Amino acid sequence: MDYNFFQHPMWQKYHNRPIWIITLSETEHRLRDARAILALAEFLPPKNAGTMFAAVTIGDKPATGFPKIPEDAGIVLVGRPSLFGKEIERLLKSLTPPIYYTFKSNESNTSDYRTIICPDREFKCQTFIEQKCHSPAPSELKDTAIVYSGWQGDRPVTVLSGTSTVGTWGAVQYVNSISPGNDVRWQQDVQGVVEASVHNRDEAFDSVQAKAKEMLAPVRIWMQGADLPPSDAWPGAIQHYEQTLSGPKIDLQILANGVEILKKSKDYVSGAVLLAWLDSPNRVKFDGGFSVSTTSGDLTDRLKKKFECQFDNRDTFQNRVYSTLHQLTNGIREAGGIAFKSQLRGQKGWGKSKRNYTITSRNLPFFLQSVHL
């Protein structure tokens, strides 16, 4: 189902403001990205309504550098960010929510040039020549792209960046159309990887199809049930978690983006770990939410201090915290929420003490905002 600009949730933040489409001025790139640029021009309001196309010369020369964009204008970046110079590099570092997807390499003569990475996985894409060599020959050729929609202060920013031109075209197709229902794009501030498909043919590609390989948004956390925090039973339950493992299932459901996660949990540990994770002291706040990172060791120490627990075996409890963090990360990710695990700087291997867990969340509901773990 297609939507026009004024209906589409990802573009609603651009209403009633100028829109600057940033493209590359080099002739070769403008020709390559022509289909993507035309698709944007057809979808967005016309120039007399405030939409501008600004071409940026490759490199970082002051005479032809980044244009002066009005403070009230939104930005749409079309193409690989590294080609736009240092101004765009600074822009990407200032975005909120943080952008977690990037290209593994910007050296065009390497296979990593067509690989998109995030903190804990890679999305590889073969060249069209490599794909055509498959036997039998594929009916479609694939490309991938980064899609990001967020903010720089009060300015909306969208990044549409393919591993090649087809990917960029597919990214435009993806953000200009939407399916009804519980689609992550309704949350507006989304990011991830889309796959673009074109017919395997010698002639110029006449159309593109796009679908999300992974699309995430700041997660909406909700808890419900008779045993909501802060319950008087929580301290004792955490302290004697080994006994509660075999006890009756508590009445506590944890939901991420409206989807229940950790359904088989029988005690308070999962809820305590999630709240302690969200309440970690190194929060990076943005309008409407925050990002935060932690480790299993940090959470173990904070939970122990909070509940004054004297664990018989600290390592055993840290293993439980580590396992819970792993399950929470997977559950939130499957529900379309931003949650990653990554290797700590300077650490080798993937042991539990060498992993960092990052979550980007919407502001918590009022009854959870008062719970500090």
Side-chain angles (χ1 to χ4, degrees):
M1 180 176 179
D2 292 332
Y3 286 71
N4 65 39
F5 166 78
F6 296 100
Q7 295 172 313
H8 198 294
M10 280 187 64
W11 294 107
Q12 286 178 0
K13 62 181 73 173
Y14 287 84
H15 291 181
N16 300 317
R17 67 166 74 226
I19 304 173
W20 280 57
I21 314 298
I22 310 299
T23 64
L24 291 165
S25 63
E26 187 189 33
T27 303
E28 180 183 357
H29 281 92
R30 289 186 67 78
L31 288 174
R32 288 181 180 181
D33 290 332
R35 298 301 296 266
I37 294 170
L38 287 171
L40 275 174
E42 291 174 358
F43 184 79
L44 298 178
K47 186 175 181 179
N48 59 14
T51 299
M52 291 286 296
F53 282 84
V56 177
T57 297
I58 296 176
D60 195 32
K61 299 178 182 179
T64 56
F66 207 77
K68 178 64 175 178
I69 301 177
E71 292 184 0
D72 64 335
I75 293 176
V76 182
L77 181 72
V78 182
R80 184 177 288 254
S82 65
L83 297 176
F84 290 86
K86 294 182 179 179
E87 188 70 26
I88 285 297
E89 291 180 10
R90 289 190 286 269
L91 171 73
L92 295 183
K93 291 179 180 178
S94 66
L95 295 177
T96 58
I99 183 170
Y100 292 105
Y101 296 85
T102 186
F103 292 101
K104 191 171 184 179
S105 172
N106 291 308
E107 299 294 331
S108 59
N109 60 346
T110 68
S111 60
D112 291 340
Y113 186 79
R114 292 175 60 83
T115 300
I116 296 172
I117 60 174
C118 63
D120 57 3
R121 66 189 63 179
E122 296 183 349
F123 301 85
K124 296 183 178 181
C125 183
Q126 291 182 320
T127 65
F128 288 164
I129 293 176
E130 291 171 326
Q131 293 180 50
K132 289 182 177 181
C133 289
H134 292 178
S135 181
S139 60
E140 293 183 329
L141 302 175
K142 308 290 186 181
D143 198 17
T144 52
I146 296 171
V147 169
Y148 172 87
S149 180
W151 301 85
Q152 182 196 37
D154 295 329
R155 182 200 302 278
V157 176
T158 297
V159 178
L160 308 172
S161 181
T163 56
S164 78
T165 302
V166 169
T168 301
W169 185 16
V172 172
Q173 170 72 8
Y174 179 79
V175 300
N176 287 355
S177 61
I178 191 168
S179 300
N182 191 27
D183 192 289
V184 70
R185 282 169 285 185
W186 288 104
Q187 297 193 49
Q188 298 189 8
D189 297 340
V190 303
Q191 59 181 292
V193 178
V194 301
E195 180 181 79
S197 302
V198 291
H199 294 300
N200 184 3
R201 51 188 291 178
D202 295 329
E203 299 83 5
F205 304 127
D206 57 357
S207 64
V208 66
Q209 299 296 320
K211 64 178 181 180
K213 290 182 70 69
E214 175 171 87
M215 198 59 55
L216 308 176
V219 63
R220 293 174 287 114
I221 297 295
W222 184 264
M223 293 186 182
Q224 61 188 27
D227 297 313
L228 285 173
S231 167
D232 293 338
W234 274 51
I238 296 296
Q239 186 170 0
H240 302 291
Y241 74 97
E242 290 177 324
Q243 288 81 0
T244 62
L245 284 174
S246 58
K249 184 176 181 180
I250 64 171
D251 184 14
L252 175 65
Q253 292 82 49
I254 302 173
L255 295 92
N257 291 343
V259 178
E260 185 178 359
I261 59 177
L262 275 65
K263 295 181 181 180
K264 297 181 180 180
S265 179
K266 293 185 177 181
D267 58 37
Y268 294 91
V269 174
S270 56
V273 169
L274 176 57
L275 289 177
W277 185 11
L278 293 167
D279 194 44
S280 295
N282 58 340
R283 280 188 178 194
V284 178
K285 296 182 179 180
F286 56 87
D287 188 24
F290 57 91
S291 294
V292 65
S293 297
T294 192
T295 65
S296 61
D298 173 68
L299 288 191
T300 300
D301 292 339
R302 289 172 53 218
L303 288 170
K304 179 179 178 180
K305 181 178 180 180
K306 173 66 179 180
F307 295 111
E308 300 180 351
C309 301
Q310 301 299 319
F311 303 121
D312 294 334
N313 190 324
R314 182 187 184 279
D315 289 341
T316 300
F317 186 68
Q318 185 176 353
N319 285 338
R320 178 70 195 285
V321 172
Y322 163 73
S323 175
T324 301
L325 271 173
H326 182 75
Q327 294 175 56
L328 285 168
T329 301
N330 290 342
I332 291 169
R333 190 79 158 266
E334 291 172 2
I338 298 175
F340 298 102
K341 54 182 179 291
S342 57
Q343 189 169 318
L344 287 171
R345 291 182 178 179
Q347 296 288 331
K348 296 181 179 180
W350 281 92
K352 64 177 181 294
S353 61
K354 300 175 182 178
R355 291 188 179 185
N356 203 53
Y357 292 83
T358 300
I359 185 171
T360 297
S361 173
R362 293 290 184 193
N363 287 331
L364 297 176
F366 71 93
F367 64 90
L368 291 179
Q369 292 177 2
S370 61
V371 181
H372 299 284
L373 296 179

